[in-house]
Amino acid sequence: MIEFSLWDILRNLLLATRWTVLLSLVAFIGGALAGILLLFMRIGKRRALRLFAKCYVELFQGTPLLMQLFLAFFGLGLLGIDVPAWLAAAVALILWTAAFLAEIWRGCVEAIAKGQWEASSSLGMGYLQQMRYVILPQALRIAIPPTVGFSVQVVKGTALTSIIGFVELSKAGTMVTNATFQPFTVYGLVALIYFALCWPLSKSSQILERKLNVAHRNH
Amino acid sequence: MSLIEITEVRKSFGANEVLKGISLDVDPGEVVAIIGKSGSGKSTLLRCINGLENIDSGTISVAGAQLQPDELHLKALRLKVGMIFQQFNLFPHLTAGGNVMLSQMVVKKASKPEAEAMARKMLERVGLAHKFDAYPDELSGGQQQRVAIARALAMQPISLLCDEITSALDPELVSEVLAVVRELAAEGMTLMMVTHEMKFARDVCSRVVFMHHGRVHEIGPPAEVFSNPKTPELKQFLGML
């Protein structure tokens, strides 16, 4: 039997971590862009678009990410479209992230006092001007901590893509365990790597929250 | 000709009719105080004049600009009437100067130096030239309200609506804001103000409107309204104070 050193195990896991990081970035950036679009639909004036965005968000928040991954992977396969695991994983995570970010940001926009809308209206500003110069600059500030906090969920969410066969950190952990028969060591390391990715994110979210909230200072 | 013409305005919130046919004309340079119990519709009337609330029927026009619900008409109307709020509603992410400059640049497309010059002038007019770079949360309530007045004035409106502008202030800060309003009145600005400052209304206003249950219940020069109230409702209201 071949002997595996700790370094062998760790090296293989770290190589797979690249894919976890990449998938997280793709999901977060893609999700943010789609989320902005959804946000504007959700808070805009067109009823049909508002309804669409509302249903979209509720659908994706109300079903497990795992089911969304299955549907993206197997569902499209049933339609005769051959979807590689990485594509299904990226698409499902982007759509899922977009739903949550749109909802987080909607809360931030709606947290801006009604008086800000009224004051800017009474000065003659139109909807887009109000958004651009008065509402969004304030909403952005309060959106930063929860957005960074949610990125932690995205990183951990990528672990589920191992089930449809995308080789990222969790999948690599399973494969290395099958080769080495050292599940405790391997999964322990996997968990540590996830922690090393997520902890700085949640810590920075806390720091930002404190920094932006000090005595309600808005600048 | 009247500057502000309000004709048979009705407004309901759900089943609750807040304005039951209000007609009121305000001449240029007039200072009109609107008094009445809370819930009498006085703030709603003011908010209808610059389109913050939609009216159900009737017409409102300010210097020829009709109140219509579309953005173009609203903008034209709002350039003629400025509004000052009980809660100041300054933009917290901008300095006092930035607050006064923003709408000039965004709405009137003024250049930055023009807007800044105007902002400095208006802040000086309310006695806050030295606070140009201060953020709203570094200012007292009275100072914030004066910045809000400067912000409205910078758009060069021909009339101002003041919605209980001293009600959120500590008592010792009320006078500094009223002093600014008194000056505006002396300079001939047309003002409509919802207020609880009866002494101020008596000293400065040309007419007092007493609203009761969504109607103009009594109207007249302050001396008459305050010293010689005709209706029992107004007597009771003044007696409560």
Side-chain angles (χ1 to χ4, degrees):
Chain A
M1 201 176 116
I2 315 160
E3 281 294 314
F4 294 94
S5 68
L6 189 65
W7 170 240
D8 287 330
I9 296 173
L10 188 62
R11 196 172 47 124
N12 279 296
L13 292 179
L14 285 175
L15 286 173
T17 304
R18 292 178 307 176
W19 294 105
T20 290
V21 171
L22 185 66
L23 185 61
S24 302
L25 285 174
V26 167
F28 192 75
I29 294 169
L33 293 175
I36 289 174
L37 204 67
L38 273 175
L39 169 71
F40 276 98
M41 290 183 188
R42 184 72 176 83
I43 59 179
K45 286 183 176 156
R46 295 277 272 283
R47 216 181 105 79
L49 292 180
R50 275 209 313 266
L51 201 69
F52 167 79
K54 188 165 177 253
C55 292
Y56 177 96
V57 168
E58 277 174 12
L59 193 68
F60 277 85
Q61 286 195 337
T63 52
L65 176 57
L66 188 58
M67 297 304 128
Q68 294 163 23
L69 281 165
F70 280 159
L71 288 175
F73 188 58
F74 299 118
L76 290 176
L78 279 180
L79 295 176
I81 309 165
D82 189 24
V83 195
W86 65 266
L87 185 61
V91 168
L93 275 171
I94 285 174
L95 296 180
W96 176 78
T97 306
F100 278 87
L101 285 181
E103 194 63 1
I104 290 172
W105 293 340
R106 181 180 68 90
C108 294
V109 168
E110 287 179 359
I112 304 303
K114 206 166 133 250
Q116 295 289 309
W117 286 99
E118 294 186 343
S120 46
S121 293
S122 74
L123 289 164
M125 288 186 214
Y127 178 75
L128 289 177
Q129 294 172 332
Q130 291 175 295
M131 271 290 175
R132 161 78 181 77
Y133 296 102
V134 178
I135 306 300
L136 289 183
Q138 295 181 59
L140 201 65
R141 259 172 236 270
I142 49 178
I144 291 169
T147 304
V148 175
F150 180 71
S151 66
V152 173
Q153 304 298 323
V154 176
V155 174
K156 291 192 288 187
T158 61
L160 283 178
T161 63
S162 62
I163 294 178
I164 57 170
F166 182 68
V167 186
E168 39 62 76
L169 182 52
S170 296
K171 182 75 177 175
T174 310
M175 290 158 78
V176 173
T177 303
N178 289 341
T180 61
F181 304 109
Q182 298 179 38
F184 187 79
T185 314
V186 175
Y187 286 122
L189 285 172
V190 168
L192 275 178
I193 295 173
Y194 273 117
F195 186 77
L197 292 176
C198 294
W199 188 75
L201 286 174
S202 52
K203 198 70 203 163
S204 59
S205 164
Q206 285 166 21
I207 292 171
L208 283 167
E209 195 165 345
R210 218 173 318 142
K211 214 168 158 184
L212 296 171
N213 253 340
V214 178
H216 300 289
R217 290 187 79 84
N218 283 298
H219 48 86
Chain B
M1 207 186 97
S2 304
L3 187 72
I4 301 174
E5 293 176 3
I6 303 165
T7 315
E8 278 301 314
V9 166
R10 286 175 179 274
K11 163 80 188 169
S12 302
F13 291 112
N16 180 21
E17 193 170 42
V18 187
L19 300 179
K20 298 171 182 166
I22 303 272
S23 294
L24 181 66
D25 289 344
V26 178
D27 291 330
E30 248 195 316
V31 179
V32 175
I34 305 173
I35 60 172
K37 281 193 283 198
S38 61
S40 59
K42 50 197 193 320
S43 276
T44 306
L45 175 63
L46 219 56
R47 293 164 57 84
C48 284
I49 295 175
N50 77 345
L52 286 180
E53 305 285 355
N54 293 320
I55 55 176
D56 299 335
S57 67
T59 58
I60 293 177
S61 76
V62 179
Q66 284 282 339
L67 173 66
Q68 303 277 350
D70 61 289
E71 212 167 71
L72 217 66
H73 277 93
L74 276 179
K75 188 180 157 185
L77 178 79
R78 284 166 176 165
L79 287 175
K80 300 191 175 184
V81 269
M83 180 141 186
I84 305 162
F85 301 86
Q86 184 175 352
Q87 299 297 338
F88 329 134
N89 295 345
L90 291 182
F91 307 134
H93 60 301
L94 298 175
T95 59
N99 265 275
V100 185
M101 286 163 69
L102 180 65
S103 56
Q104 296 181 63
M105 296 197 293
V106 171
V107 180
K108 287 191 159 179
K109 312 288 178 209
S111 71
K112 203 174 172 199
E114 279 168 11
E116 190 179 330
M118 174 66 97
R120 288 196 187 279
K121 203 169 109 190
M122 289 306 148
L123 284 175
E124 184 163 5
R125 194 163 164 192
V126 297
L128 288 173
H130 58 294
K131 294 291 187 188
F132 190 90
D133 292 315
Y135 282 91
D137 64 358
E138 298 165 331
L139 300 173
S140 74
Q143 289 172 330
Q144 289 189 51
Q145 192 60 295
R146 285 189 282 153
V147 172
I149 295 173
R151 181 174 69 174
L153 289 177
M155 297 300 282
Q156 297 175 297
I158 46 183
S159 61
L160 273 185
L161 309 173
C162 305
D163 189 5
E164 300 197 29
I165 61 170
T166 55
S167 299
L169 295 176
D170 292 337
E172 74 271 20
L173 301 175
V174 168
S175 61
E176 67 183 57
V177 171
L178 290 183
V180 171
V181 178
R182 191 186 295 260
E183 240 169 73
L184 289 176
E187 288 165 18
M189 173 69 80
T190 309
L191 292 166
M192 275 185 85
M193 47 196 308
V194 169
T195 185
H196 294 293
E197 300 290 333
M198 294 306 155
K199 189 176 161 341
F200 183 79
R202 183 192 286 259
D203 292 350
V204 176
C205 294
S206 36
R207 262 196 305 168
V208 175
V209 175
F210 171 62
M211 283 185 66
H212 187 70
H213 289 326
R215 291 200 170 82
V216 174
H217 207 72
E218 210 168 311
I219 186 166
E224 202 173 292
V225 168
F226 287 119
S227 324
N228 189 18
K230 292 187 188 65
T231 57
E233 288 82 6
L234 179 55
K235 270 181 201 148
Q236 195 205 4
F237 176 73
L238 293 174
M240 287 187 322
L241 297 169

